[in-house]
């Protein structure tokens, strides 16, 4: 029987301790220097076989460097007071990376015929090199790339670190059951799901008050990020501010615009749902702090950590033996850090680490239903990352557009599992919760994209007031007349980490969500045939293009009708809820 105790990471799969890590850093620096001495200014003279061997060597060194930074990052994520250690590791690893910079640059400077010859004979690295060659026109000189790399720790990355550390140290004053206490961001946000309206309102006011006190700093950090994106776009001659993200995601501006426009055209689904929710709750007016209010249910469920693990594991077991085995290992072998604590980073993620180790999964479990879905979501990532190890370090990484596929699909599997044997009242609550999760992943992330497009198109620094106005306007478009957004809500752009860490990251969530709804429709029609194809899809990692991967299921991501397939699935969910009322 599983224990309800907390899970903590066991980092020994990476390094036994910090001393062994320091030894590995020293060895990696020497290996990188030796690689540089062997191949710098010599790539053009290599035979295809020798080039292939150099690529294998390059991959091994890159994986060793990533292993170090994975360990340093996980130390920092579990205790943000480890920022100095993380920064020191980054500085040392940058020394090794300097010795590797020439490789990509020299490859992209090759005569096109020789470059194509190398690509054709690169076996498993073929797609990786094809992508690399596409980046050639955005690369700077070796000297310029070296300067940028050296300046990275004191450039925009330092402001990203400042954002993380500052947010993790913020404390918000709340009052529960007559007692005053200070809590972190995750815990105050979790209170927005409380059944009591006054508790939700109190949490909203507390979060807003804390953000308001720090708004000048958070605004300044965001303006630095905006400037960095514009400078980078100009230096590398990207067509627009979004192009670098689309290249990373291996998609096109046309595809993204089509998706964004489709979602914008269907925000009536959100308005219809929240109008319905206000009636169910018996509220004349729904305010922003009511969005996540649980529906009245006599059999309210709290999902402690043990219960959550049990249902998620059962979900994977019923779908695929491979999925179940990986999820079991994650809990048994120290892949998971499960609960909130002081100085721990907020949110949740699954870090892919390196193929010679295993992924590491961070949760901040607070016994809510949404925490169960978060667990399934992140384990979906973990399973995807583990399966993709078979194609090696350079090929394992997937673009964000398909990286979210396994995570959101896992949520759909969990939804189907959880609604089994539920009463009508419980099904209504579950459907409502699922729709709200979909809105968060699909429509809300699209609002983030609309907001970012407006913010980054503006010239000069933006004031807190200007940012807050844009945020409020874009969010109100999604809710229409169904939800009143209070003045407090205007500040909530300021705690969103993706705006700081990775501009235009968020549309990938919407992309992945709609893709999953289409795949889930295929799964329902032919479950037996689907699982093997899906496991192959995930196992290929980033070694094939998203178009090729989706083609395994007979779908075309460039079809004009593609996004509406997924949107129709969202409408079916809403109709399913209405059918229960």
């Amino acid at each position: 029987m599983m224990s309800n105790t907390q899970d903590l990471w066991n980092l020994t799969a990476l390094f036994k301790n910090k001393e062994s890590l320091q030894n590995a850093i020293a060895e990696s620096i020497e290996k990188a220097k030796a690689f540089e001495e062997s191949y710098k200014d010599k790539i053009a003279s290599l035979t295809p076989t020798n080039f292939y061997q150099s690529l294998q060597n390059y991959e091994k060194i890159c994986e060793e460097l990533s292993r170090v930074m994975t360990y340093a990052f996980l130390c920092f994520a579990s205790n943000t007071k480890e920022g100095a250690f993380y920064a020191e590791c980054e500085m040392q690893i940058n020394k090794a990376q300097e010795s590797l910079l020439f490789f990509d640059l020299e490859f992209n400077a090759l005569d096109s015929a020789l470059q194509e010859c190398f690509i054709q004979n690169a076996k498993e690295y073929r797609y990786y090199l094809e992508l690399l060659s596409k980046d050639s026109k955005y690369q700077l000189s070796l000297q310029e790339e070296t300067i940028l790399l050296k300046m990275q720790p004191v450039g925009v990355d330092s402001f990203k670190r400042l954002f993380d550390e500052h947010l993790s140290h913020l404390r918000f004053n709340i009052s529960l059951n007559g007692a005053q206490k200070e809590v972190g961001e995750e815990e105050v946000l979790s209170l927005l799901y409380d059944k009591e309206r006054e508790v939700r309102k109190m949490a909203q006011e507390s979060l807003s008050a804390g953000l308001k006190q720090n708004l000048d700093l958070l605004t300044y950090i965001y303006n630095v990020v905006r400037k960095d994106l514009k400078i980078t776009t100009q230096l590398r001659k990207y067509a627009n501010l979004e192009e670098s993200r689309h290249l990373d995601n291996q998609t096109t501006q046309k595809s993204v615009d089509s998706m964004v426009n489709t979602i914008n055209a269907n925000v009536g689904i959100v308005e219809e749902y929240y109008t319905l929710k206000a009636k169910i709750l018996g509220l004349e007016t729904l305010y922003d702090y009511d969005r996540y209010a649980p529906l009245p249910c006599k059999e309210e469920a709290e999902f402690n950590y043990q219960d959550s693990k049990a249902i998620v594991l059962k979900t994977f077991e019923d779908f695929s033996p491979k999925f179940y085995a990986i999820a079991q290992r994650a809990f048994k072998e120290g892949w998971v850090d499960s609960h909130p604590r002081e100085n721990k980073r907020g949110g949740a993620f699954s870090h892919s680490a390196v193929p010679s180790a295993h992924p590491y999964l961070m949760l901040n479990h607070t016994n809510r239903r949404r925490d169960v879905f978060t667990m399934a979501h992140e384990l979906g990532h973990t399973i995807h990352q583990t399966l993709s190890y078979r194609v090696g370090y350079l090929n394992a990484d997937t673009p964000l557009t398909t990286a979210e596929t396994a995570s959101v699909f896992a949520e759909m599997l969990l939804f189907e599992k959880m609604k089994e044997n539920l009463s009508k009242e419980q099904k209504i609550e579950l459907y409502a919760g699922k729709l709200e999760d979909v809105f968060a992943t699909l429509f809300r992330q699209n609002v983030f994209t609309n907001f970012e497009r407006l913010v980054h198109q503006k010239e000069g620094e933006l004031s807190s007031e200007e940012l807050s106005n844009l945020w409020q306007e874009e969010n109100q478009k999604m809710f229409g007349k169904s939800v009143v957004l209070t003045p407090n809500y205007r500040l909530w752009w300021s705690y969103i980490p993706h705006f700081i860490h990775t501009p235009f990251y968020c549309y990938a969530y919407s992309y992945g969500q709609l893709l999953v709804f289409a795949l889930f429709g295929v799964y329902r029609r032919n479950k037996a045939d689907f699982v093997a194809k899906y496991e192959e899809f995930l196992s290929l990692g980033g070694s094939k293009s998203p178009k090729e991967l989706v083609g395994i299921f007979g779908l075309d991501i460039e079809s004009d009708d593609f996004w509406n397939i997924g949107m129709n699935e969202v409408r079916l969910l809403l109709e399913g809820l209405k059918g229960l009322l």
Side-chain angles (χ1 to χ4, degrees), residues 207-220:
L207 178 65
S208 302
L211 294 175
K212 186 175 183 179
Q213 290 174 0
N214 295 273
L215 203 57
D216 287 345
L217 174 61
L218 297 173
T219 299
Y220 182 75

Side-chain angles (χ1 to χ4, degrees), residues 157-285:
D157 281 7
S158 64
F159 288 90
K160 295 175 182 179
R161 175 185 159 191
L162 173 62
F163 177 87
D164 282 347
E165 290 189 9
H166 195 73
L167 263 290
S168 71
H169 295 154
L170 286 186
R171 288 295 174 265
F172 302 92
N173 296 311
I174 63 169
S175 176
L176 286 177
N177 302 318
Q180 299 281 336
K181 68 173 182 175
E182 292 185 342
V183 298
E185 176 193 335
E186 285 293 323
E187 289 168 280
V188 74
L189 286 171
S190 74
L191 292 175
L192 294 172
Y193 295 79
D194 197 272
K195 64 179 181 180
E196 298 295 336
R197 197 180 202 190
E198 286 307 308
V199 173
R200 299 194 302 271
K201 185 178 180 183
M202 175 271 299
Q204 182 248 43
E205 291 172 345
S206 175
L207 178 65
S208 302
L211 294 175
K212 186 175 183 179
Q213 290 174 0
N214 295 273
L215 203 57
D216 287 345
L217 174 61
L218 297 173
T219 299
Y220 182 75
I221 292 173
Y222 198 11
N223 275 310
V224 169
V225 171
R226 291 177 61 239
K227 289 177 185 176
D228 177 79
L229 180 61
K230 285 187 173 161
I231 291 169
T232 301
T233 300
Q234 291 166 0
L235 283 176
R236 299 192 181 278
K237 297 181 172 59
Y238 290 120
N240 57 58
L241 297 171
E242 297 179 30
E243 187 179 21
S244 62
R245 181 59 42 217
H246 303 333
L247 288 168
D248 284 346
N249 287 335
Q250 299 166 37
T251 187
T252 63
Q253 187 73 50
K254 181 180 179 181
S255 177
V256 174
D257 288 344
S258 175
M259 179 201 68
V260 168
N261 292 336
T262 299
I263 298 172
N264 286 339
N266 285 276
V267 291
I269 295 174
V270 180
E271 185 173 13
E272 183 178 356
Y273 168 77
Y274 280 107
T275 300
L276 194 64
K277 182 171 185 176
K279 294 178 181 177
I280 296 172
L281 293 174
L283 297 175
E284 185 175 336
T285 303

